[in-house]
Amino acid sequence: MTTTRMTTSQQLRNAYTEITDRIANAAIRAGRAANDVLMIAVTKSATPDQIRMLVDLGHHELGESRLDQLEKRVATLEEYLSRKRTLGAGSTRETIDPAKAATHVRWHMIGNLQRNKVKHVVPLVHMIHSVNSLRLAEELQNFGNKRDEPIDVLLQVNASGESSKSGVAVPAVSHLVEQMDTMLNLRVRGLMTMAPLTDDVEVVRRTFLRTAEVFNEVKSENLGGEHFTALSMGMSHDFELAIECGANVVRIGRALFGEPPEPPPEVPPEVPPEVPEVSA
Ligand SMILES: *Cc1c(COP(=O)(O)O)cnc(C)c1O
């Protein structure tokens, strides 16, 4: 049991080191500082143990795409972190570098958000990456009346034109950012996009470049205000390309935590063997 835990911990540490190195190198190749890119660890496929281990490695930024999962993970991790805060770094596991181990994390909502879920999601997260309509922005603005702080959001862009993808079309972006910038309970922090699911690197690159282009347009025209600085694009299989195209936020799941476990095969219910009737 201990052996499995140690192996997993070592594997996660290796994956984390590898990913952060690759992110830093991609940033340098793009002529930027090695620490210019924020990595959000997407915990969709992670076990609670893996999440704790990552936090113990000093990682603070976590992402989820579904409200039910988010609620569960926030609750489980918060329990662990509050225990850690009470006990102090000295009492935590040996593998932890007490100087780095995080006792606070920030959650990012990266998945589709329904308007009737706003009140549940906002209190749990640091930022919402997936604002994909004016109506959702307005819902957030209304909910924001109840808070002291504006809600940090990204506008999700559909830059590939796929009808299956969520997000606003590229030509609508600057006007929508301008409108959102007038909503005092929102702070529009930048743009988010997802590349199409394809092995064609040029298609992916085009999607990222289009998004980067409209991001720079909005910035140069100062439509989103001084907080408009984040370009969130790139996942496990395309984050280096995204960084080369200008991303300064990447969202990484499987490259850190591995593929999600297969659901267990359906086992047909056992049929009890027929018991021959015993006559006396
Ligand atoms: C799941 C997900 C990710 C992470 O995907 P990986 O391929 O596991 O890295 C990033 N962004 C969004 C919006 C997601 O839903």
Side-chain angles (χ1 to χ4, degrees):
M1 177 122 184
T2 319
T3 328
T4 326
R5 164 72 68 84
M6 301 256 304
T7 316
T8 320
S9 164
Q10 192 56 49
Q11 277 169 353
L12 184 71
R13 187 188 292 264
N14 292 347
Y16 184 61
T17 309
E18 190 205 313
I19 298 292
T20 46
D21 283 353
R22 282 171 59 191
I23 289 172
N25 288 331
I28 290 167
R29 277 201 304 280
R32 289 147 53 194
N35 63 358
D36 190 47
V37 180
L38 181 76
M39 192 261 279
I40 295 170
V42 178
T43 54
K44 274 190 298 201
S45 71
T47 64
D49 242 9
Q50 284 179 313
I51 300 174
R52 284 192 287 269
M53 288 188 278
L54 190 72
V55 170
D56 283 346
L57 289 171
H59 193 77
H60 307 83
E61 309 286 338
L62 303 171
E64 262 300 332
S65 59
R66 280 177 33 198
L67 172 62
D68 54 345
Q69 283 283 72
L70 176 72
E71 284 176 327
K72 242 189 286 178
R73 293 191 179 300
V74 168
T76 314
L77 188 62
E78 221 12 75
E79 200 182 297
Y80 175 67
L81 292 178
S82 72
R83 209 160 54 228
K84 241 170 93 168
R85 287 193 290 266
T86 328
L87 296 176
S91 323
T92 47
R93 274 190 255 139
E94 247 181 277
T95 49
I96 301 167
D97 174 353
K100 286 173 86 188
T103 52
H104 293 89
V105 297
R106 304 200 297 194
W107 285 95
H108 297 254
M109 177 60 176
I110 60 172
N112 210 30
L113 173 58
Q114 287 164 341
R115 279 180 293 138
N116 61 355
K117 299 289 164 58
V118 158
K119 59 177 177 293
H120 301 295
V121 168
V122 169
L124 300 178
V125 299
H126 168 67
M127 194 185 289
I128 295 169
H129 290 226
S130 40
V131 174
N132 56 9
S133 69
L134 181 60
R135 289 176 78 193
L136 177 57
E138 283 167 347
E139 186 77 31
L140 287 159
Q141 159 69 9
N142 290 339
F143 182 77
N145 273 328
K146 303 184 182 72
R147 291 164 42 102
D148 303 330
E149 278 279 296
I151 304 166
D152 281 323
V153 300
L154 303 180
L155 181 62
Q156 184 170 354
V157 182
N158 178 350
S160 63
E162 286 174 298
S163 56
S164 61
K165 279 266 182 318
S166 172
V168 304
V170 172
V173 169
S174 32
H175 184 54
L176 198 45
V177 170
E178 224 178 340
Q179 281 176 295
M180 286 163 68
D181 192 42
T182 65
M183 301 182 187
L184 295 179
N185 302 323
L186 291 191
R187 199 154 44 197
V188 49
R189 302 297 312 273
L191 303 181
M192 183 274 243
T193 201
M194 285 172 84
L197 263 183
T198 168
D199 291 330
D200 189 338
V201 177
E202 287 317 309
V203 171
V204 175
R205 188 195 306 275
R206 219 158 36 232
T207 310
F208 289 155
L209 286 177
R210 279 198 91 187
T211 311
E213 193 181 359
V214 70
F215 173 74
N216 288 326
E217 245 169 63
V218 170
K219 255 176 48 161
S220 64
E221 292 169 30
N222 201 24
L223 301 177
E226 57 179 14
H227 298 289
F228 190 89
T229 54
L231 183 53
S232 169
M233 50 186 202
M235 321 198 320
S236 288
H237 55 281
D238 56 21
F239 67 89
E240 284 155 311
L241 181 56
I243 292 167
E244 283 161 28
C245 295
N248 56 15
V249 180
V250 294
R251 311 174 308 268
I252 313 276
R254 289 169 295 171
L256 276 174
F257 299 114
E259 294 293 326
E262 297 269 330
E266 289 217 9
V267 183
E270 233 176 85
V271 183
E274 262 179 55
V275 183
E277 262 179 54
V278 185
S279 46

